[in-house]
Amino acid sequence: MAYDVQKPLQSTVNSLAELELRVRDDLACLCYPAANWVAPTVSEPQVHDVVVIGGGMCGLVAGFALRVAGIANIRIFDRNRAGMEGPWITYARMETLRSPKQLTGPAYGMASLTFRAYFTARFGNDSWVALDKIPRPMWMEYLCWYRKVLDLPVENSVEVKTIEPEGELMRLTLCGDGARESSVLARKVVMATGRDGLGRPSIPGFVNDLPRKYWAHSSHDIDFEALRGKRIVVVGVGASAVDNAAEALEAGAAEVRHLIRRKEMPRINKLMGIGSFGFTAAFPKLSDARRWQIMNYSLRTQTPAPRGSTMRVSRHPNAYFHFDTAVEKVKLDHDEILIETSQGEALRADFMILGTGFGVDPLARKELDGYADKILLWHDRFTPPPGEENADLGKFPYLANDFTFLEREPGQAPWLANIYSFNSGAAASLGKVSGDIPGISEGAAWLSREIAAKLYAESFEQHWQRLLAYDTPELRGDEWTASPLPDGAQTIALKQA
């Protein structure tokens, strides 16, 4: 039977307090969380079984999945203060999420944990029907509620500076106002670090000589009020570029000009057209050539900015879209930015915003200093056919099927098998299951299962001894009485033989 995602439900939940009781009841019925089964590390009693880096959406659902799997000895660190995790109320500047409101996201198979349940508990079913897309700040409110109702142990204002091997364990050095110690030991480390979690903002070289006060990347903290009356150039036309252009226009910029290399506006979100459980399940099992083919095509066609975000810009008469106009050179001319373009014309501006996205590059991650160059990348493993080259895609890590890094040269960095890339860097190897809303629960279930398997295998002897030592009887011995065979039974048996 199909259900209408718009149809009002006869819900008995009329407040968040009632919904939270329902969540707790659901958890109890499902026996969540499971009892901890992981054998402790004998040599180092203060070792954590798993440390999750990042308390945003990826880190929260990863933490929940680990607890569901009976892995209780975990810690979750986030460098931001509480309520500021992830991009949602920092550098994300869209009015609403792109994802359809009915997607279950991090709910992990529980209806009571969905955004729909949260929203209807607050505003009612009629408001759900009227809702078009999820307001961005409300998604952050939902994630804060998700963390609270599941009592997830996120420690805020704790930054992980380095991840280094120490014997069979990993030593994480910490800093920040929330850090209770200078370092911790862990058996496994999950980098649930989101969109820029395995790289950095893509900064084109043409701003290298431009003083920093004249430009910003879309992920930077931008004082939009200071742009009032200014001429703004935005490089790019993806979602982040468009959202930042809208912010500048609404703050009173004199004009905003998009400089766009493409000859026309991207209009189709290709991967949305093939999203399915089958695609999620099959992607990591496809050949390298097939995975490259899909990812390269997606990157080349580019995901368009949402319709609402684009119209938020175009409704301003002082907004301009210049296609087939690449930036070739930028310099400062007195107090103006002089921009030379591929059209042979130069533009003058007061400030430049780079909507150039993020690049995946393990070498850019300070946490991995000293051995990032030992990580196997796609360009080490796969040579694309002529015409399918993509240098950016080639920098993605070539991951094992459990989200861990592989060594470029076997034996050089075996500890990489203890670090899990549960972030956007996993997309080329395993699909979009560790960064985007649609597949995040499937990815977390997959991650927790693989971590559980490794933890069990690594402590097999302790589990074997538990099996040998287990002596709790189910039967007491008084449940039966031994009976002799009836007369003639032995004779009959011998004759039959």
Side-chain angles (χ1 to χ4, degrees):
M1 179 183 295
Y3 293 90
D4 187 348
V5 298
Q6 292 282 18
K7 186 178 180 181
L9 303 175
Q10 298 304 314
S11 174
T12 58
V13 175
N14 298 307
S15 69
L16 278 183
E18 291 182 18
L19 179 59
E20 288 166 11
L21 289 174
R22 177 180 152 191
V23 170
R24 294 187 182 101
D25 186 55
D26 288 346
L27 291 171
C29 289
L30 294 168
C31 298
Y32 292 164
N36 184 72
W37 55 266
V38 184
T41 303
V42 177
S43 60
E44 294 283 354
Q46 299 304 314
V47 172
H48 306 295
D49 292 322
V50 185
V51 167
V52 179
I53 305 174
M57 180 180 70
C58 292
L60 292 176
V61 69
F64 180 47
L66 290 167
R67 284 188 155 186
V68 167
I71 304 171
N73 181 20
I74 68 172
R75 290 177 76 175
I76 305 172
F77 299 132
D78 194 281
R79 63 187 178 187
N80 300 296
R81 66 180 188 272
M84 300 293 289
E85 303 88 353
W88 308 108
I89 56 174
T90 53
Y91 64 83
R93 297 178 175 116
M94 63 282 201
E95 291 183 316
T96 66
L97 271 58
R98 175 195 297 272
S99 299
K101 64 181 181 181
Q102 69 270 16
L103 294 184
T104 56
Y108 210 70
M110 291 179 56
S112 56
L113 280 178
T114 59
F115 176 81
R116 178 175 183 169
Y118 169 80
F119 184 91
T120 54
R122 287 187 63 184
F123 305 108
N125 289 311
D126 290 340
S127 294
W128 171 258
V129 174
L131 181 68
D132 178 28
K133 294 288 182 66
I134 301 172
R136 171 180 49 82
M138 188 178 294
W139 182 255
M140 186 70 233
E141 293 170 7
Y142 160 68
L143 292 177
C144 290
W145 172 81
Y146 180 98
R147 167 182 171 176
K148 170 192 166 188
V149 75
L150 293 177
D151 193 25
L152 295 171
V154 180
E155 298 175 51
N156 288 95
S157 300
V158 180
E159 182 175 0
V160 176
K161 296 175 64 179
T162 61
I163 307 169
E164 298 175 335
E166 187 169 310
E168 295 182 351
L169 304 172
M170 305 303 295
R171 171 77 66 180
L172 288 76
T173 57
L174 311 176
C175 65
D177 294 339
R180 305 200 304 261
E181 55 266 275
S182 60
S183 69
V184 295
L185 283 170
R187 297 172 70 180
K188 310 297 174 191
V189 178
V190 176
M191 296 182 69
T193 41
R195 185 68 60 187
D196 62 336
L198 205 63
R200 57 187 169 190
S202 293
I203 309 294
F206 55 69
V207 297
N208 287 349
D209 297 325
L210 189 65
R212 183 63 181 78
K213 72 175 186 176
Y214 291 97
W215 66 271
H217 187 269
S218 60
S219 64
H220 293 162
D221 186 16
I222 300 175
D223 182 2
F224 285 96
E225 288 302 318
L227 303 183
R228 180 179 299 276
K230 304 290 187 180
R231 297 163 298 171
I232 311 302
V233 160
V234 176
V235 180
V237 76
S240 63
V242 168
D243 292 330
N244 278 267
E247 290 282 326
L249 288 162
E250 291 165 2
E255 65 176 33
V256 173
R257 296 183 181 274
H258 279 277
L259 301 187
I260 308 157
R261 287 183 301 176
R262 295 176 179 271
K263 293 184 178 180
E264 58 184 26
M265 180 76 83
R267 298 175 63 186
I268 301 172
N269 186 350
K270 288 288 187 174
L271 288 185
M272 183 177 288
I274 62 170
S276 67
F277 185 80
F279 175 72
T280 300
F283 187 88
K285 300 180 182 299
L286 297 176
S287 67
D288 289 354
R290 291 296 191 199
R291 287 185 285 177
W292 183 278
Q293 180 183 4
I294 291 171
M295 288 299 297
N296 184 44
Y297 180 70
S298 172
L299 291 173
R300 286 188 173 183
T301 54
Q302 187 178 353
T303 301
R307 173 176 168 81
S309 295
T310 307
M311 294 183 70
R312 185 182 167 201
V313 173
S314 62
R315 65 172 174 245
H316 293 270
N318 54 336
Y320 305 91
F321 295 84
H322 301 292
F323 295 96
D324 197 19
T325 307
V327 176
E328 295 192 340
K329 188 176 181 181
V330 174
K331 66 179 181 180
L332 193 63
D333 184 17
H334 295 93
D335 201 33
E336 294 181 314
I337 306 171
L338 184 63
I339 306 164
E340 296 181 15
T341 74
S342 58
Q343 293 290 343
E345 299 178 0
L347 290 174
R348 291 184 179 273
D350 301 305
F351 193 78
M352 175 179 284
I353 298 175
L354 304 175
T356 45
F358 294 91
V360 171
D361 181 6
L363 290 172
R365 302 306 303 184
K366 293 181 179 179
E367 306 98 316
L368 308 178
D369 272 354
Y371 58 86
D373 60 339
K374 293 178 171 57
I375 294 173
L376 182 71
L377 306 181
W378 266 82
H379 64 61
D380 300 318
R381 186 69 174 256
F382 178 72
T383 301
E388 294 294 317
E389 299 88 354
N390 189 319
D392 291 333
L393 184 55
K395 292 180 181 178
F396 275 70
Y398 191 99
L399 300 179
N401 279 346
D402 62 357
F403 291 92
T404 58
F405 295 115
L406 292 171
E407 300 170 89
R408 180 172 288 172
E409 296 182 24
Q412 294 299 305
W415 60 85
L416 290 173
N418 292 325
I419 306 176
Y420 295 75
S421 179
F422 192 63
N423 50 48
S424 60
S429 298
L430 305 177
K432 290 183 174 291
V433 293
S434 55
D436 293 341
I437 292 172
I440 192 66
S441 285
E442 287 84 351
W446 179 0
L447 173 76
S448 64
R449 184 172 59 249
E450 295 294 342
I451 290 177
K454 271 192 177 178
L455 290 174
Y456 189 94
E458 290 171 358
S459 302
F460 178 79
E461 286 303 321
Q462 288 172 268
H463 292 293
W464 171 247
Q465 292 303 318
R466 285 180 178 179
L467 174 62
L468 297 179
Y470 184 76
D471 61 358
T472 302
E474 292 193 23
L475 298 177
R476 299 177 181 177
D478 59 356
E479 295 89 353
W480 71 92
T481 301
S483 303
L485 288 171
D487 292 342
Q490 184 176 6
T491 304
I492 293 172
L494 291 172
K495 287 182 178 180
Q496 289 177 343

